[in-house]
Amino acid sequence: MVKKRDIKVKRMLEFFIEATEQVIEKEGVQHVTARKIADLAGYTSSTIYNYFEELNHLIFFGSLRFLDEYITDLSKYIDREEEPLEKYLSSWECFCKHSYNNPQIYNVIFISDLGSELNELLKRYYKIYPNDLLKLPEEIKMLVMENDLSKRSKGMLHNAVQNKHLSDESLEAIVDITILMWKGMLTTLLNNRTHYTPEQATAITMNYIREIMSHYTK
């Protein structure tokens, strides 16, 4: 039986997360403050810290609210492929497309230092919003519940190693180089150091990833 206190805590967490989502949507993630969140939620700033260890954790949770389109698209991109190498490429194409369109959000979720075990934060988030996981296929759920891009990528390429299309050493190289290229492009877009559109940035990144794949695959 769910205790009244647990219901109250869950409701408070939702108030603050959804207020954070509203601030991000209206002003951008870089302009989120505890006061703005608290004002929208109808509480004092100090109340936030009764429920979240750090403001960055709350910003992380609020940012996760913007992943719905990516997660929906990811299923479509992966389902259209049969081979593990092609699934890997499609998953990265989808990730680049969405992250380059919203670099601030993806920087918060996948790059910024949150001073905590990120997968534990993800578990806490989906405990608050369990219905967000119910509709997902197991393959997608595995990706969504793993924040570490390296582990996500290696998981997708595991079958390619099993099928002898990749060696363990090649897998490590492909994953490391892919992530470095993505981070470089995302940071470039984030800092307005290029005139690439998100579509152009995605095409360029994917061309490089395909070149790396062709170099290392058997």
Side-chain angles (χ1 to χ4, degrees):
M1 183 176 178
V2 180
K3 296 179 181 178
K4 287 184 178 180
R5 184 182 181 281
D6 292 337
I7 294 172
K8 180 186 175 183
V9 168
K10 184 175 184 293
R11 189 178 298 127
M12 292 294 290
L13 293 170
E14 289 172 346
F15 283 156
F16 285 124
I17 292 170
E18 285 156 24
T20 305
E21 179 187 3
Q22 290 178 51
V23 176
I24 292 172
E25 188 166 26
K26 185 177 179 181
E27 302 185 39
V29 70
Q30 66 273 30
H31 297 298
V32 175
T33 65
R35 174 168 288 184
K36 289 175 182 177
I37 295 168
D39 286 347
L40 268 177
Y43 293 90
T44 62
S45 299
S46 60
T47 307
I48 290 173
Y49 298 98
N50 293 333
Y51 298 91
F52 300 92
E53 289 182 20
E54 300 179 26
L55 179 61
N56 281 344
H57 293 177
L58 180 51
I59 294 172
F60 176 74
F61 288 155
S63 297
L64 288 171
R65 304 299 295 158
F66 293 87
L67 291 189
D68 285 353
E69 284 187 23
Y70 160 64
I71 293 170
T72 299
D73 254 6
L74 183 59
S75 291
K76 297 174 184 174
Y77 273 72
I78 289 179
D79 285 348
R80 72 189 186 190
E81 306 295 348
E82 294 292 334
E83 297 298 322
L85 295 178
E86 293 303 320
K87 283 180 179 285
Y88 177 81
L89 288 170
S90 285
S91 71
W92 269 101
E93 183 179 357
C94 182
F95 189 67
C96 288
K97 169 189 165 185
H98 286 276
S99 62
Y100 294 163
N101 270 289
N102 208 344
Q104 291 86 0
I105 291 292
Y106 284 76
N107 181 64
V108 167
I109 296 172
F110 293 100
I111 296 179
S112 63
D113 181 8
L114 296 174
S116 187
E117 173 52 54
L118 294 180
N119 283 348
E120 290 303 314
L121 289 179
L122 280 174
K123 287 178 185 176
R124 188 183 182 201
Y125 174 82
Y126 285 111
K127 190 174 180 181
I128 301 166
Y129 298 102
N131 290 340
D132 288 2
L133 286 179
L134 293 178
K135 58 190 176 184
L136 300 180
E138 283 302 315
E139 187 175 23
I140 303 301
K141 193 181 295 185
M142 180 274 290
L143 295 175
V144 168
M145 291 300 294
E146 178 55 71
N147 186 267
D148 187 314
L149 291 176
S150 179
K151 290 179 181 177
R152 285 172 56 153
S153 297
K154 288 174 183 177
M156 294 208 71
L157 288 174
H158 175 72
N159 286 340
V161 175
Q162 295 294 99
N163 296 338
K164 308 297 183 184
H165 296 308
L166 278 180
S167 66
D168 288 326
E169 293 78 11
S170 295
L171 180 148
E172 293 284 344
I174 289 170
V175 169
D176 287 348
I177 295 169
T178 298
I179 293 170
L180 285 171
M181 286 191 295
W182 172 76
K183 283 184 176 179
M185 183 63 82
L186 189 85
T187 303
T188 300
L189 292 168
L190 195 61
N191 293 317
N192 297 313
R193 295 285 184 161
T194 181
H195 296 297
Y196 294 146
T197 65
E199 292 75 20
Q200 289 170 328
T202 298
I204 291 167
T205 304
M206 291 310 302
N207 282 339
Y208 282 126
I209 294 174
R210 288 188 179 94
E211 283 188 29
I212 294 300
M213 291 283 284
S214 65
H215 177 77
Y216 282 102
T217 50
K218 299 177 181 179

